[in-house]
């Protein structure tokens, strides 16, 4: 959808560094979205690009590292042009000298980034850059904006120096230099956006930067999944969920009972997954299905995944105690009974953990050693199209994000609320800007608290868990109040308009109507 921009004063024709002629009468205005990282794993910057193209009617150049594919809406939008840089990797040098590797890597990234921003893309009217990473991104974008006579806006997701401090400590000289660099070039921007009021206050009080709060909101393709969407998704993921290599647990063994049931009832043409079944044209959720708990993670130190593992162990033991089970009961017989339809007061829990990151293998090895009776884990990476479907099909979300700065909010929770999925989130300083306790989610500070929440929410699952249903209603209400397009139109559009025009005045962009389910 395109909308006409307001009239803009003519500027003289100029030739920029890249050699392109700038004629505002003949060309649409342009924005460059800059991400020194994997664009497929940068959803907020993808949403910025979509809003700049759809709502602001700009041509958008995304300059980012290659990696995972962005959402199909990015690839199909003819006004968005993706320019992929190659990631700089110095693994051998890192083993010799980490400091030298960091310096050399930053220098190489700076050169590549300036080359792309000054010579590989047409001259933009505005650069919108993701921070962090700050080094060398902010310096490269500032130099490019000066050479190409463009505006420069930073979208503050977090602070780069606090992330670096997780591995080096806040007092390390490299962290202090990084902090100075981030603050020095951050103050050179023509405008700033940030993700929380707490971050806005920090930037104003201690950095001398005035930022506009743009809360993360889910775009329209995050919504509760229909029964048809759930069935199609679970059938597509059936092998990954029920037949993982080398894993025998309450889900994989329980599925064997289901397969036997399907053979016996083959005359009825039963089409089934671990969660759903179809007879003829009727699709339904199975009453003895596991409760599906989803958590997405980057597998980094700012998310203590061990808390979830410990809570899962506690849930498993507490359910066994509540049902007066002893160790003499054979696990595989229990699993087969469940798979063949036997129900208990407390359900099996299936945790699907999505994401990629450095600590994934470490935790996968820990999961294999847990030996749980009623809890299963699956780790996987989903496409940008399947991830919202999974959230919209789950029963509960878990967030372990604590924030290196304590000032940003987990976007994964925003996505979960967009799908009407209630959340149990680890408590930290500004999480209450997003999670409203006992309305759309719960907060926990220890594995034991999280295990208590599982016991309370899933008792009587799936038909008699009123607390879980109440939180789901609250999550649905949260997502119905605002979407990314309306939040962006209200808060980001005026700032970008002001920065491009140089006048603190009316938005250049025509507001668009809000369609709760439209794309």
């Amino acid at each position: 959808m395109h909308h006409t921009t307001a009239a803009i004063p003519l500027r003289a024709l100029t030739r920029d560094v890249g050699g392109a002629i700038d004629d505002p009468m003949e060309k649409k205005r342009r924005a460059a979205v800059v991400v020194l990282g994997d664009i497929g794993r940068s959803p907020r910057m993808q949403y910025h690009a979509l809003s700049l193209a759809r709502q602001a009617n700009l041509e958008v150049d995304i300059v980012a590292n290659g990696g995972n594919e962005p959402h199909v809406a990015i690839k199909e939008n003819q006004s968005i042009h993706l320019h992929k840089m190659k990631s700089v990797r110095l693994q051998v040098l890192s083993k010799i000298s980490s400091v030298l590797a960091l310096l050399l890597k930053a220098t190489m990234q700076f050169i590549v980034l300036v080359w792309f921003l000054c010579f590989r893309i047409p001259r933009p009217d505005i650069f919108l850059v993701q921070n962090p990473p700050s080094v060398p991104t902010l310096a490269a974008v500032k130099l490019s904006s000066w050479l190409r006579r463009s505006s420069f806006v930073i979208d503050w997701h977090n602070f780069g120096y606090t992330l670096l401090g997780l591995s080096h400590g806040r007092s390390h000289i490299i962290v202090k230099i990084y902090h100075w660099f981030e603050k020095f070039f951050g103050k050179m921007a023509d405008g700033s956006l940030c993700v929380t009021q707490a971050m806005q206050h920090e930037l104003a009080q201690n950095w001398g930067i005035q930022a506009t709060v743009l809360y993360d909101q889910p775009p329209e393709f995050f919504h509760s999944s229909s029964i048809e969407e759930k069935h199609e998704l679970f059938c597509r993921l059936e092998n990954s969920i029920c037949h993982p290599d080398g894993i025998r647990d309450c889900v994989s063994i329980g599925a064997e009972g289901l397969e036997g049931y399907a053979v016996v009832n083959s005359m009825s043409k039963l089409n089934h997954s671990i969660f759903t079944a179809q007879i003829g044209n009727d699709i339904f959720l199975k009453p003895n299905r596991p409760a599906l708990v989803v958590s997405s993670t980057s597998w980094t130190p700012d998310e203590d995944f061990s808390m979830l593992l410990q809570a899962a162990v506690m849930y498993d033991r507490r359910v066994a105690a509540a049902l007066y089970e002893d160790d003499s009961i054979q696990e595989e017989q229990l699993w087969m009974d469940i798979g063949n339809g036997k129900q208990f007061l407390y359900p099996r829990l299936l945790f699907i953990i999505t994401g990629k990151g450095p600590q994934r293998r470490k935790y996968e090895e820990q999961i294999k050693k847990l030996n749980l009776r009623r809890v299963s884990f699956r780790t996987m990476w989903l496409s940008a199209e399947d991830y919202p479907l999974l959230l919209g099909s789950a029963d509960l979300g878990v967030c372990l994000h604590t924030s290196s700065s304590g000032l940003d909010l987990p976007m994964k929770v925003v996505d979960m609320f967009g799908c009407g999925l209630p959340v149990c989130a680890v408590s930290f300083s500004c999480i209450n800007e997003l999670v409203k306790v006992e309305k759309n989610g719960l907060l926990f500070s220890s594995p034991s608290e999280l295990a208590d929440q599982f016991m309370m929410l899933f008792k009587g699952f799936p038909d008699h868990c009123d607390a879980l249903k109440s939180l789901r209603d609250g999550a649905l209400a949260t997502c119905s109040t605002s979407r990314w397009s309306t939040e962006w139109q209200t808060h980001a559009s005026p700032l970008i308009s002001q920065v491009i025009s140089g006048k603190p005045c009316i938005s250049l962009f025509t507001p668009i109507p809000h369609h709760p389910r439209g794309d």
Side-chain angles (χ1 to χ4, degrees), residues 73-98:
I74 294 285
K75 295 185 285 186
E76 291 181 350
N77 193 302
Q78 296 183 354
S79 294
I80 299 177
H81 316 279
L82 184 56
H83 307 266
K84 293 184 179 180
M85 303 178 291
K86 291 185 177 180
S87 300
V88 177
R89 300 184 185 279
L90 301 172
Q91 294 177 344
V92 176
L93 184 58
S94 296
K95 295 178 181 178
I96 300 172
S97 172
S98 59

Side-chain angles (χ1 to χ4, degrees), residues 337-357:
D337 289 343
I338 293 172
N340 285 320
K342 187 174 182 179
Q343 289 184 260
F344 295 87
L345 183 61
Y346 295 94
R348 294 169 290 170
L349 299 187
L350 171 60
F351 291 92
I352 294 183
I353 316 300
T354 70
K356 294 180 179 179

